[in-house]
Structure formats: structure tokens, C-alpha cells
Amino acid sequence: MKNTILITGGTGFIGSHTAVELMQSGWRVIVLDNLCNSEPDVIERIAAIGASRPHFVAGDVRDAALLDQLFASHTITAVMHFAGLKSVGESWQQAAHYLDNNVGGTACLVAAMERAGVRRLVFSSSATVYGEPDTVPIAESAPLRTTNPYGRSKLLCEDMLRQLQAADPRWQVALLRYFNPVGAHASALIGEKPTGVPNNLMPYITQVAAGAHPYLRVFGNDYPTIDGTGVRDYIHVVDLAQGHLAALHYLLEEGRGITANLGTGSGVSVLQLVAAFTQATGVTIPLQILERRPGDVASCFAATEQAWEALRWRAQLSLQAMCADAWRWECSRAAAGASHG
Ligand code: NAD
Ligand code: UD1
């Protein structure tokens, strides 16, 4: 039996898929989540897929006493820190809350890890730290800049974690910059739970397909891209989850930290994603072209060499699989009576 990984935010979208992959590779998993954006039944769903049940602790990463108790009562090999708030729009309305939760939460967690002598951390960063990129594909060495309080909170966490490693080489931190995670587990037992009307493209497409909205609003068709619509690097959440295992192995084997993009390296436009969705599911998506969305960039996709050369990881699953799995998940939610805010 391998040892234990603490997953903060483990009932959320990416954390739950990573818990499944870890357990299927023989790791014990403890999930810590305050359930501010997820449901406790995700634990049973993870168990149904993963063949064993993660140990669940309902609590907040800002609760230092709880963290001390957790580290004292389990031998933890590494922490994967997903717990965070992720809505760009909300981060403008609640900037202080985003700082407290995302930056304060990370500071509280690393302080507890330091007290416990657990210094291996895999951190959920984002391509948002590249802001408006000068060139694509975006390499990890690209300038870091952000355009909103959410992005700033991620960059502040990255800075803190870089500083920590520079000050004390016993710290090993993987800063993983996700591009656009989509899809769901093929079992349709776990997936993304958007709150209210989704801002992100894929959950909006699946909701249009389910009849919750009359059409997809395409934000701009005059970008300098293949068809004028915004280009992104969509990555299947199961591939992303496996990237975390690759990062964990890197920390364990190399004994030092790493910064890596987790993307496919392929840029896909809004219209291309819609076409792939229709091809994968047979469902047509009505469109309405609107103005550009403020803050959007034309094109954003990853350079993937670093992830391959250092982590020996690359995304495997196709755009078709992302669409089919997102749709299967949407249908299973609809069957279970989920509402569409
Ligand atoms: P999610 O909201 O589905 O999951 C985050 C989980 O963290 C939720 O279950 C929530 O209840 C929990 N949480 C939040 N604050 C907490 C706190 N203070 N204490 C304990 N639990 C807390 O989001 P996700 O899509 O799974 O994202 C996971 C991480 O990846 C986040 O840090 C996010 O910023 C980052 N990220 C996500 C995306 C994306 O598109 N989904 C892209 C880049 C980076
Ligand atoms: C958004 C966030 C980013 C975050 C990422 C993943 C903004 C400005 N950026 O990025 O910080 O890291 O999500 O959570 O919110 N689109 C439509 N119609 C829609 C929705 C989206 O046309 O209803 C278009 C967008 O204009 C964009 C593409 O689809 O070109 C992807 O949008 P989205 O899924 O929101 O992701 P990002 O813009 O990459």
C-alpha cells in the first residue's frame, strides 16, 4: 500500500477526478473540502468509480487547528491543493474574499505543512497567469501578468510558493498551469457543477443542448483567428487529473519542484468546439454572434514540451471524447433533476 495524499478541494471538479486517478493507482486519499462549491455525495461517487472510499473531512483550508490535527493523525506524503474560488466575474465583486480564500488559504496550508514537515505540494495554477500572451503557444517562461483579481490571486500564490522553495530547498512544489479543463469522467458519476448560468463555454454548450438556453452566445467573431472566434486549449479533465500523478511522481523521484503547463497544445475555436460537439453527440447548437466579452484574449494555447520532457505526460483524450463525456454528464445531471440556475 502506498502512502496518503491530502487533496484540498477534493469534492470539486478537478479534485474529484484526481482523487479517482490516485486511488486507482494505489494511493490512499484524504479529501478536505468546505463544500462551498461542491456536494458531499461526490465522495460516494468517487468510491463508486475508484473501488475505495476516500477519507472525507468537511473543513476549510484556513482552519489552522484542523490542518494541524489532520497532519498529526495521518502520514501524508504530499498535498494537492485544489481548494479555491475560480470565477473571474465574482472575483471583481468579491476581491477581498478571493484574496482571503485563495491566497490566505494557501498561506495557511503551507504554514501547517511546514509545522508538520510535509513539504511536497502540487498547486492548481492557471493559464490566467499569462494574461494576454505575446505569442502562442505559450511557454512556461512567458511573462506573467494578470487581468483580474482571480488571476492575481493565482499569481500571488505562485509567487509565495516560488519564494518558499527559494528560501528552503526542502520544499518541492509543482505549479501546474491548467488551460481549459472540460469533460467529465466516462462513468458520468462525477463532473463539473456550474453555479447559476455558466460563464465557461463547454458547460454553456451542454446546457443549450439540454434546452436550458435557446442558443449559444458567441462572444466575438472578429478575432485574428481561423474563423474569427476565440481560440482556447480545451483539455479533458481525466487527462488533467493524470497530469497530477505525473507531477507527484516527478516530485518524489527528482526531489525538486517544477512549473508546467497542462494543456493539449492544440488551439480550438468556439465554432470548432461547437462542430465537434455536434459531431460527437448529434445535437445541433443554435448560435447568436455577440460582441467580444471584455477581458477575453483572441488565442491561448499551451506549449507542451516541458510537461512531456520533465513529467513524461501528455494529453491523450480527443475533442470528441471531451464533448461526449461533457454531454453524458449533463444528461445524467438532468436525469437526477439538477436545475440550471
Ligand atoms: P471547483 O470549484 O469545482 O473545486 C474547488 C473546490 O474547493 C470546491 O469543492 C470548493 O468547495 C472547495 N473550496 C474552495 N475554497 C475552499 C476552502 N477555503 N477550504 C476548503 N475547500 C474549499 O473548481 P475546480 O474547477 O475543480 O478548480 C480547482 C482548482 O483549479 C481551483 O483552485 C481553480 O482556481 C483551479 N483552476 C481551475 C480551472 C477551471 O477551468 N476549472 C482552470 C484553471 C485553474
Ligand atoms: C475563462 C476565464 C479564465 C479562466 C478560464 C477557465 C474570463 C475572462 N476568463 O477563460 O480566467 O481561467 O475561464 O475557468 O472569464 N465563449 C463564448 N460564449 C460563452 C462562453 C465563452 O463565445 O457563452 C467563448 C469565449 O469568448 C472564449 C471561449 O469561448 O473565446 C472560451 O471561454 P471560457 O470557457 O470562458 O474560457 P476562457 O475565456 O479561456
Side-chain angles (χ1 to χ4, degrees), residues 14 86-89 92 125-129 147-148 150-151 154 178-182 192 197-205 208 215-220 223 228-234 268-271 273-274 288 290-300:
I14 305 169
K86 62 170 180 175
S87 161
V88 171
W92 285 109
S125 190
S126 167
T128 193
V129 300
T147 53
N148 56 69
Y150 164 70
K154 287 289 164 191
Y178 313 157
F179 279 66
N180 291 63
V182 295
E192 188 169 13
V197 177
N199 286 316
N200 294 125
L201 181 59
M202 181 67 100
Y204 203 96
I205 290 176
V208 171
Y215 48 78
L216 172 70
R217 301 164 304 167
V218 177
F219 297 137
Y223 285 107
T229 64
V231 163
R232 297 292 184 275
D233 186 339
Y234 299 96
V268 171
S269 76
V270 174
L271 298 183
L273 187 64
V274 169
Q288 189 182 57
L290 299 185
E291 292 299 302
R292 293 181 180 191
R293 181 172 66 177
D296 270 358
V297 302
S299 200
C300 175

Side-chain angles (χ1 to χ4, degrees), residues 19 59 67 75 88-89 104 132-133 162 207-208 220-221 229 234 239 241 248 268 283 304 322 335:
L67 292 176
T75 304
V88 171
E132 180 147 12
R162 268 188 289 273
Q207 291 196 5
V208 171
N221 67 350
T229 64
Y234 299 96
D239 273 334
L248 174 65
V268 171
V283 185
T304 55
M322 298 178 212

